[in-house]
Amino acid sequence: MSTKNFRPFNLKKTIRPGETIIQSLLFVAGVLSIMITITLVYELGKEALLFFNNPDVTLAKFFGTTEWQPGIGKYGIWPLVTSTLITSFIAMLIALPLGLAAALYLSEYASPKVRSILKPILEILAGIPTVVYGFFALLFVTPILQSIMGKDNISVYNMLSAGLVMGIMILPLISSMSEDAFSAVPRPLREGAYAMGATKLETSLQVVLPAALSGIGAAVILGISRAIGETMIVAVAAGSGPNFTLNPFEAAETMTGNIARISGGDLSYGSIDYTSLFAIALMLFLVTLVLNLISQYVVQRFREQYE
Amino acid sequence: MENNVEPEYAIVTNDLSIHYGSYTAVKGVNVKVEKQKITAIIGPSGCGKSTLLRSFNRMNDFVPNCRVTGELLLQGQNLYSKDVDPVEARRRIGMVFQKPNPFPKSIYENIAWGARINGFKGNMDELVEQSLRGAALWEEVKDLLQKSAYELSGGQQQRLCIARTIAIQPEIILMDEPASALDPISTLRIEELMQELKKNYTIIIVTHNMQQAARASDYTAMMMIDDQRSGGVIEFDDTKKIFTRPKDKRTEDYVTGRFG
């Protein structure tokens, strides 16, 4: 009988330079993105502070009045905020149901062949420059709206047309992300539903959709952020000039539209017009943040988790 | 209406074959599944047991390229004739899967949902209780009905899946290795439950576990692949006979553990 020769154990720590380097690189990448965000917020806050430090500007005026003309001492932010919210709301009203319907069709109903044709086409919509969408709104959608409603009832620049087209722009984002969320729902869950005698519609709407809700929530959050931050479409089609109104048929400038227009003009550093842009940007940041938090809360509240 | 089939059979197949494209996965199955009995399908991996089982409630409709030939008769009606509504068929033929797959809903809703979509109009609380009792789960979950089904253990989840299946009151329950992901105690509970269920339902179970087939089933179908890699039923008989005096040498080798 032969005795087995045991190799001696050597369990000393080994230094693996490759691992260390990669780990450091990944760490730097992570820190960098955080640093960039912090720097952005810092710059934004610093310049916005200059605006609010102006003895003429008070928070009461900023939040309490409804006219925005910093050049002549009117500091009410609301007209810009309402038009941003209205155009974004209209956009989501279009993008969410259509996007979800398209996603459900693509993931649950379409044959693989149909899907392979439709999905890229839908994604082309996302690749169109937004300035093109802007003129599409102004020169195509607005005339249609005018012919439906009469020229007197809807102005050439209006929030409705900008919002509608913005919705079309966001649609592929919503549908593509939602489709991924639907496809990620495990197959056994669908089979379980079908085996209970569920129809395709019952399975899609009552089992797959609730299970995919957290992914859809992410799509909605991203969609809202895009709608609020979208500049070119509203700058071209929604109107230039703050206007405090809740009527989507009227022209009204959004926060982004105002920033784009004012910064395109002749601005001197430190002037009230200049610092006001940062105040708007900060407000934009806050609105987006609040809406993100709300949608996150809604998703947390209603999602149905599978494992 | 004239019945072509003797009433004691729940399912009769006539030369049933299942094809994926040009490949024949299951070939020429002729079995008669007796009512209110437990029929086990055994055989080595990849012999088409699950494929055959899934053809019994048309789950293979969701597999692209899958084609079924021959006949599968339920009270004389061919499940695969063109005028059969597969949704309606699945309401009469329930299925329990290999891995527990409760819906991401509360325990209560897991049972109520299927009943509701099937048009149940009676007292839902009662139905939920009855179904959970029927699946021997009521005592464990009666205070947790509004909790997510995912808070249950694997064995409890599987019994929940059985409960939701009996809530829609099918005639036949198909079980695809229902205990393979469970520990021995949960497995035993499922087997005890099957004995209870066969009083009211016809049960067809696919299993890898030969002791399970020997313990729990009344009839056994032995499946095996041929040289074209097509699966088929090589022997179908009383479970006792299959395990003590099999006619086919391959069955004998398999049940005595000589291969497989």
Side-chain angles (χ1 to χ4, degrees):
Chain A
M1 219 168 80
S2 71
T3 48
K4 183 166 167 29
N5 280 329
F6 285 105
R7 281 188 302 136
F9 281 99
N10 184 2
L11 303 177
K12 254 203 212 112
K13 259 206 171 120
T14 324
I15 295 162
R16 299 183 176 85
E19 286 284 318
T20 318
I21 292 170
I22 293 290
Q23 203 178 339
S24 327
L25 282 177
L26 293 176
F27 176 74
V28 169
V31 167
L32 198 64
S33 65
I34 297 172
M35 293 301 287
I36 290 171
T37 312
I38 291 175
T39 314
L40 271 171
V41 174
Y42 170 75
E43 268 304 304
L44 204 60
K46 194 184 76 182
E47 302 285 342
L49 204 64
L50 283 179
F51 175 78
F52 288 109
N53 274 343
N54 187 311
D56 202 22
V57 181
T58 63
L59 277 181
K61 276 187 195 167
F62 191 69
F63 288 113
T65 60
T66 57
E67 261 188 277
W68 179 260
Q69 287 297 346
I72 53 165
K74 300 200 160 158
Y75 304 114
I77 190 71
W78 285 112
L80 300 179
V81 175
T82 51
S83 60
T84 290
L85 291 181
I86 289 170
T87 48
S88 303
F89 181 73
I90 296 170
M92 291 312 286
L93 220 55
I94 296 291
L96 193 58
L98 282 183
L100 279 183
L104 260 186
Y105 173 72
L106 285 176
S107 101
E108 305 300 312
Y109 288 85
S111 67
K113 198 180 161 195
V114 172
R115 178 166 46 234
S116 71
I117 297 168
L118 277 184
K119 219 185 163 189
I121 292 178
L122 198 59
E123 274 158 8
I124 287 175
L125 275 182
I128 297 172
T130 54
V131 65
V132 176
Y133 277 113
F135 283 100
F136 177 70
L138 184 64
L139 303 175
F140 183 77
V141 176
T142 299
I144 291 176
L145 291 175
Q146 281 184 325
S147 71
I148 295 171
M149 304 181 44
K151 274 194 168 48
D152 302 331
N153 300 323
I154 185 162
S155 46
V156 175
Y157 298 99
N158 65 78
M159 291 187 276
L160 179 61
S161 155
L164 290 176
V165 172
M166 212 149 77
I168 297 171
M169 178 200 77
I170 298 168
L171 198 150
L173 179 92
I174 302 269
S175 71
S176 173
M177 283 186 69
S178 308
E179 204 244 2
D180 290 342
F182 289 141
S183 307
V185 173
R187 228 177 97 110
L189 222 51
R190 288 188 183 80
E191 292 187 334
Y194 287 132
M196 301 287 293
T199 61
K200 209 149 192 174
L201 190 66
E202 286 160 346
T203 305
S204 305
L205 291 184
Q206 297 174 34
V207 173
V208 179
L209 182 69
L213 211 57
S214 61
I216 292 165
V220 171
I221 290 172
L222 220 66
I224 292 176
S225 304
R226 281 230 46 193
I228 289 175
E230 170 51 35
T231 308
M232 217 50 217
I233 297 175
V234 285
V236 171
S240 46
N243 177 12
F244 184 67
T245 175
L246 296 177
N247 182 353
F249 307 141
E250 280 185 37
E253 194 170 48
T254 65
M255 293 191 265
T256 51
N258 185 278
I259 294 175
R261 182 172 59 89
I262 301 297
S263 62
D266 206 5
L267 274 181
S268 56
Y269 176 80
S271 72
I272 190 76
D273 272 333
Y274 175 84
T275 53
S276 77
L277 297 184
F278 289 90
I280 301 172
L282 188 65
M283 191 66 197
L284 197 57
F285 180 71
L286 289 179
V287 170
T288 314
L289 192 70
V290 168
L291 286 176
N292 277 1
L293 290 178
I294 293 174
S295 0
Q296 245 161 32
Y297 169 78
V298 170
V299 167
Q300 285 294 330
R301 181 85 179 60
F302 291 104
R303 74 164 163 182
E304 294 182 340
Q305 212 159 356
Y306 50 87
E307 258 156 348
Chain B
M1 208 178 90
E2 193 198 356
N3 272 354
N4 302 335
V5 183
E6 299 147 82
E8 63 262 32
Y9 293 118
I11 292 179
V12 175
T13 70
N14 276 331
D15 218 16
L16 188 75
S17 300
I18 303 160
H19 318 266
Y20 295 125
S22 59
Y23 164 61
T24 301
V26 174
K27 197 190 278 172
V29 172
N30 292 296
V31 290
K32 291 180 173 181
V33 178
E34 206 171 312
K35 265 189 184 164
Q36 289 170 336
K37 298 279 183 216
I38 299 173
T39 302
I41 304 176
I42 62 170
S45 294
C47 69
K49 304 184 294 289
S50 288
T51 306
L52 178 64
L53 190 77
R54 283 162 165 264
S55 75
F56 288 176
N57 67 341
R58 292 198 48 173
M59 286 308 282
N60 50 11
D61 284 14
F62 303 106
V63 182
N65 286 329
C66 182
R67 202 161 41 82
V68 173
T69 55
E71 278 185 325
L72 198 158
L73 300 172
L74 301 157
Q75 295 172 1
Q77 292 181 71
N78 185 6
L79 185 66
Y80 283 92
S81 84
K82 282 207 170 60
D83 57 351
V84 163
D85 179 2
V87 170
E88 212 47 58
R90 287 184 208 111
R91 291 178 175 179
R92 311 299 297 277
I93 309 167
M95 187 165 208
V96 177
F97 295 81
Q98 188 169 359
K99 232 182 118 220
N101 58 350
F103 301 123
K105 302 176 186 292
S106 69
I107 292 170
Y108 185 97
E109 266 307 302
N110 256 279
I111 293 164
W113 184 75
R116 204 177 300 126
I117 60 167
N118 281 281
F120 179 75
K121 291 279 190 313
N123 184 336
M124 193 59 89
D125 292 351
E126 230 165 67
L127 179 78
V128 169
E129 183 177 339
Q130 270 173 17
S131 310
L132 285 169
R133 280 190 193 282
L137 190 59
W138 173 253
E139 291 303 323
E140 291 158 66
V141 302
K142 63 182 174 190
D143 299 321
L144 314 167
L145 293 178
Q146 296 311 323
K147 286 258 177 357
S148 163
Y150 288 91
E151 288 181 27
L152 299 175
S153 72
Q156 289 174 324
Q157 287 186 14
Q158 194 63 299
R159 275 179 283 144
L160 181 64
C161 292
I162 294 174
R164 76 175 179 199
T165 302
I166 57 185
I168 60 172
Q169 283 151 3
E171 267 74 50
I172 302 165
I173 299 178
L174 308 175
M175 296 185 167
D176 190 356
E177 299 189 46
S180 66
L182 305 181
D183 63 72
I185 293 175
S186 305
T187 303
L188 192 67
R189 300 208 61 163
I190 300 275
E191 283 177 22
E192 285 167 359
L193 183 56
M194 283 163 50
Q195 299 306 323
E196 206 48 45
L197 289 173
K198 80 172 190 185
K199 292 174 189 159
N200 296 305
Y201 306 96
T202 306
I203 296 174
I204 305 174
I205 176 174
V206 162
T207 177
H208 250 114
N209 180 332
M210 272 174 297
Q211 286 87 356
Q212 185 170 57
R215 270 196 308 262
S217 71
D218 302 300
Y219 296 96
T220 298
M222 173 70 202
M223 288 184 76
M224 192 70 83
I225 49 170
D226 62 15
D227 42 13
Q228 275 124 38
R229 292 180 33 251
S230 302
V233 173
I234 56 166
E235 194 167 352
F236 178 62
D237 214 330
D238 267 17
T239 296
K240 268 203 195 101
K241 275 193 198 153
I242 292 275
F243 280 90
T244 53
R245 286 172 273 116
K247 292 194 193 82
D248 196 296
K249 179 78 173 60
R250 292 169 295 176
T251 309
E252 190 185 335
D253 287 349
Y254 185 74
V255 299
T256 52
R258 237 165 285 174
F259 82 97

